[in-house]
Amino acid sequence: LQAMSGNEQDWLALRPQEPSPSQCCGSGCKPCIYDVYEKELAQWERAKAMQDKSLLMGKEQSNNSELNPDTFTAFRVSSVEQLTEDTYQYKFELPGNSSLRLSLGQHIVLRGVVNGLEVQRAYTPISPGNAEGYFEVLIKCYEAGLMSQYIKTWKRGDLVFWRGPFGGFPYQPNKHGELLMLASGTGLAPMIPILRSITDDEEDETFVTLVGCFPTFDKIYLKPLLRDLARYWNIRIFYVLSQETSLEKLPWSYQENTYTGRLDEDLMKTIVNSCRRSPFVLICGSSAFNEDMSRYLKAAGIEENSCFVF
């Protein structure tokens, strides 16, 4: 067998690597990491056929400071705030007074390398889409989570790679009489920018009922922000706390809009019936939560075409 020439080896070393399943965040991004791989492979094949390595330049990371769906861009961590025992709010700098310009509820994809393995996960910024000079992300860290191990090492000044934006909910002011938001844990994230856009727009008279599902009162994120939002005439916020057994220990201001136990079919009917208009429903949580909610909503008479799952 003929030994591979040095040139062949060079080209093989430059061939893009097929992504492993751990690298796909599973959120249906367009382009997905597999789409990016196909594109890079075609680029590599064209460059190899023409023996021109300059055709491969700029594929891996963009050096401009703008978020991009195809390539990862580095952003600097400007602050780390621990919200609960396992949940953190991270703030990232945007150069100058630029803004990510996200549509409502859009997510961005984070890349981390843990023990030599590349992992990608999707997160939804909770800062307003037009926030200037920064963006903020709410992240829950899991004991055994690969990405969590990487995230827990972040300190102020670190560079972190993101690409996007993807997805989102095509919200239009006053299109729906009432939005019913069902959020479990960090599923609160895509709801926050939508809530803020409604309260910031005096012309938007959409009613909103947000139902936040958390294990305990201490694990409710962003309490001061949610308290401010609940002061608006058109916003109601309920909490469902699965591991609390009694409301007596809660601050009195929370007692009348908090339920203990799980958000089940009966409670869903109660909440849907309390909506002022027939609601359009936004759902965000684990896949099990999303499936349960869809089932309970159906039992409460809400059609599938009146739901959007993040």
Side-chain angles (χ1 to χ4, degrees):
L1 270 171
Q2 195 183 356
M4 197 187 290
S5 72
N7 184 34
E8 283 282 312
Q9 282 174 325
D10 282 356
W11 278 103
L12 267 185
L14 290 169
R15 189 179 197 273
Q17 286 209 306
E18 184 166 3
S20 66
S22 73
Q23 288 173 252
C24 176
C25 69
S27 298
C29 309
K30 294 263 182 287
C32 168
I33 181 158
Y34 287 102
D35 301 332
V36 174
Y37 164 70
E38 296 291 332
K39 193 169 127 191
E40 288 179 355
L41 189 60
Q43 195 179 7
W44 176 80
E45 283 167 349
R46 192 171 71 240
K48 183 170 181 278
M50 296 172 77
Q51 291 292 307
D52 182 357
K53 288 182 182 148
S54 72
L55 293 173
L56 295 175
M57 295 313 287
K59 74 174 183 60
E60 183 52 19
Q61 277 154 204
S62 78
N63 38 7
N64 69 3
S65 49
E66 295 237 326
L67 190 64
N68 179 324
D70 298 304
T71 50
F72 283 94
T73 305
F75 295 95
R76 198 173 294 284
V77 177
S78 60
S79 73
V80 176
E81 187 187 346
Q82 185 164 3
L83 300 182
T84 67
E85 59 183 3
D86 56 6
T87 306
Y88 299 80
Q89 187 170 335
Y90 296 96
K91 194 170 188 175
F92 294 89
E93 278 171 32
L94 288 173
N97 266 347
S98 62
S99 138
L100 278 189
R101 295 194 290 278
L102 297 186
S103 305
L104 292 173
Q106 281 195 308
H107 64 268
I108 55 181
V109 172
L110 166 68
R111 181 177 73 186
V113 177
V114 187
N115 310 330
L117 181 68
E118 183 180 305
V119 193
Q120 299 193 17
R121 294 283 180 274
Y123 298 98
T124 307
I126 55 171
S127 39
N130 56 358
E132 293 180 351
Y134 77 96
F135 67 94
E136 289 175 308
V137 183
L138 181 69
I139 299 181
K140 178 171 180 171
C141 289
Y142 295 89
E143 262 314 301
L146 271 178
M147 186 62 98
S148 299
Q149 292 169 36
Y150 164 60
I151 290 167
K152 280 181 192 162
T153 66
W154 290 354
K155 330 174 276 308
R156 199 177 156 196
D158 285 353
L159 284 177
V160 172
F161 287 90
W162 294 95
R163 75 181 175 103
F166 303 106
F169 170 61
Y171 179 73
Q172 292 165 349
N174 299 311
K175 181 181 174 186
H176 305 288
E178 180 149 3
L179 288 179
L180 171 56
M181 298 177 168
L182 306 174
S184 171
T186 46
L188 193 59
M191 310 301 182
I192 298 288
I194 297 171
L195 276 164
R196 278 180 160 152
S197 84
I198 292 171
T199 57
D200 287 349
D201 180 356
E202 285 181 7
E203 305 289 303
D204 193 343
E205 299 189 346
T206 307
F207 284 118
V208 181
T209 298
L210 167 66
V211 183
C213 300
F214 297 92
T216 60
F217 179 73
D218 293 338
K219 292 192 174 166
I220 298 175
Y221 315 127
L222 309 171
K223 286 192 189 84
L225 170 64
L226 293 172
R227 210 166 37 237
D228 288 345
L229 290 168
R231 291 195 178 110
Y232 284 85
W233 64 275
N234 50 341
I235 311 286
R236 294 190 305 174
I237 301 183
F238 292 116
Y239 298 99
V240 181
L241 306 177
S242 58
Q243 292 168 23
E244 295 280 5
T245 48
S246 127
L247 297 174
E248 285 167 19
K249 298 191 289 290
L250 268 53
W252 66 267
S253 60
Y254 282 86
Q255 291 182 11
E256 63 177 337
N257 57 352
T258 301
Y259 298 92
T260 58
R262 292 201 167 274
L263 176 46
D264 57 16
E265 197 176 302
D266 288 343
L267 181 52
M268 181 71 84
K269 284 179 178 161
T270 302
I271 289 170
V272 166
N273 291 337
S274 78
C275 288
R276 292 141 289 197
R277 299 173 180 159
S278 177
F280 186 90
V281 190
L282 303 180
I283 307 171
C284 189
S286 65
S287 49
F289 176 83
N290 297 348
E291 283 167 24
D292 287 347
M293 294 307 112
S294 301
R295 209 168 58 245
Y296 303 155
L297 284 163
K298 203 170 176 179
I302 302 285
E303 298 297 324
E304 220 167 286
N305 58 6
S306 297
C307 297
F308 180 90
V309 180
F310 283 99

